[in-house]
Amino acid sequence: MWTGYLVSFGLAFVLSLILTTAMIRLAPRLGLVDEPSARKIHTKPVPLGGGIAIVLALLGVAAVGAGVVAVLNARPGLLPVPESIRIHIPGMVSSLKRLGAIVLGAIILALTGLVDDKRGLSPWTKLSVQILVALLLVASGVSITLFLPWKAAGWTLTVGWIIFITNSFNLLDNMDGLAAGVAFIIAVVFFAVALITGQIFIALFLAVFAGAVLGFLVFNFPPARIFMGDTGSYVLGYFLGVAAVVFTFVPQGSTKASVL
């Protein structure tokens, strides 16, 4: 299984490197530039297209992975897959519909961030979109379980959590390498939790996420050659917020709640 994790991470990392390199040159032509000002520490215009590179790398590799899982489910003997992986394919397929809703939310937030980077949007407009995306998640079955008789409590907390974490990363993106560095560290910790609790599908996605973030981070260390902009910070916070919601924090085979 480690081969799958390493391949997923490596593909996302390389693709993110290539796309970020391209965006360093392309972003200024698209008008995606962060100009210096009295409140900013950079003294030269810096491209804002890093978020586009992260999102495209993340979603591109995730789409390929989802396609491979769907093919293996439809034609089990097509590729020589170890039995340790094959037994998990039906579970992965059952998660694809929920993954589709999660990805749709990411695309909506990425486009919102892109417009905000390019033209600027009012806080209420951005908040309205975030609420819409959070409600979309809840409607698709992604929700915090509080073990209470009132399901609406979990739904409400989920909406608030997604909005909170999404905006937290947006505010965190104020220094070179900070938001991407924190996101990468959290993704690695979450990856370890996913392994401990036997959540292979989530672990694979986190490997892709970490690779896409690290590929951008190579160019975002001080002094940054490119910024992620709202396009990237929204999506980073959103995906990590969702990851915390969909996790089962109980070790595989255990009947007791864990410290996690």
Side-chain angles (χ1 to χ4, degrees), residues 100-141:
I102 294 172
V103 168
L104 177 59
I107 293 173
I108 293 173
L109 285 176
L111 292 175
T112 302
L114 183 59
V115 174
D116 195 30
D117 288 334
K118 177 72 174 177
R119 297 166 42 191
L121 291 172
S122 71
W124 288 111
T125 299
K126 291 183 282 188
L127 180 60
S128 297
V129 173
Q130 293 166 12
I131 293 173
L132 175 65
V133 168
L135 289 173
L136 172 67
L137 283 178
V138 171
S140 68

Side-chain angles (χ1 to χ4, degrees), residues 176-177 181 214 216-226:
D176 294 352
L214 188 61
F216 161 78
L217 191 55
V218 169
F219 300 95
N220 191 236
F221 283 116
R225 296 174 58 190
I226 188 170

Side-chain angles (χ1 to χ4, degrees), residues 241-254:
V242 171
V245 172
V246 299
F247 262 136
T248 299
F249 294 96
V250 179
Q252 191 174 28
S254 174

Side-chain angles (χ1 to χ4, degrees), residues 65-189:
V68 170
V69 168
V71 170
L72 289 176
N73 185 64
R75 302 185 63 183
L78 186 63
L79 296 173
V81 179
E83 185 61 26
S84 59
I85 297 177
R86 191 183 305 279
I87 60 175
H88 294 288
I89 290 178
M92 293 182 180
V93 171
S94 66
S95 299
L96 289 181
K97 182 178 180 180
R98 187 169 59 171
L99 178 62
I102 294 172
V103 168
L104 177 59
I107 293 173
I108 293 173
L109 285 176
L111 292 175
T112 302
L114 183 59
V115 174
D116 195 30
D117 288 334
K118 177 72 174 177
R119 297 166 42 191
L121 291 172
S122 71
W124 288 111
T125 299
K126 291 183 282 188
L127 180 60
S128 297
V129 173
Q130 293 166 12
I131 293 173
L132 175 65
V133 168
L135 289 173
L136 172 67
L137 283 178
V138 171
S140 68
V142 178
S143 178
I144 295 171
T145 302
L146 295 179
F147 301 103
L148 294 174
W150 317 289
K151 289 187 178 181
W155 300 339
T156 302
L157 184 58
T158 302
V159 172
W161 170 257
I162 295 299
I163 293 171
F164 173 71
I165 299 300
T166 299
N167 285 297
S168 293
F169 267 86
N170 182 241
L171 295 173
L172 189 65
D173 186 28
N174 56 25
M175 294 174 63
D176 294 352
L178 182 59
V182 171
F184 178 77
I185 292 170
I186 294 174
V188 171
V189 174

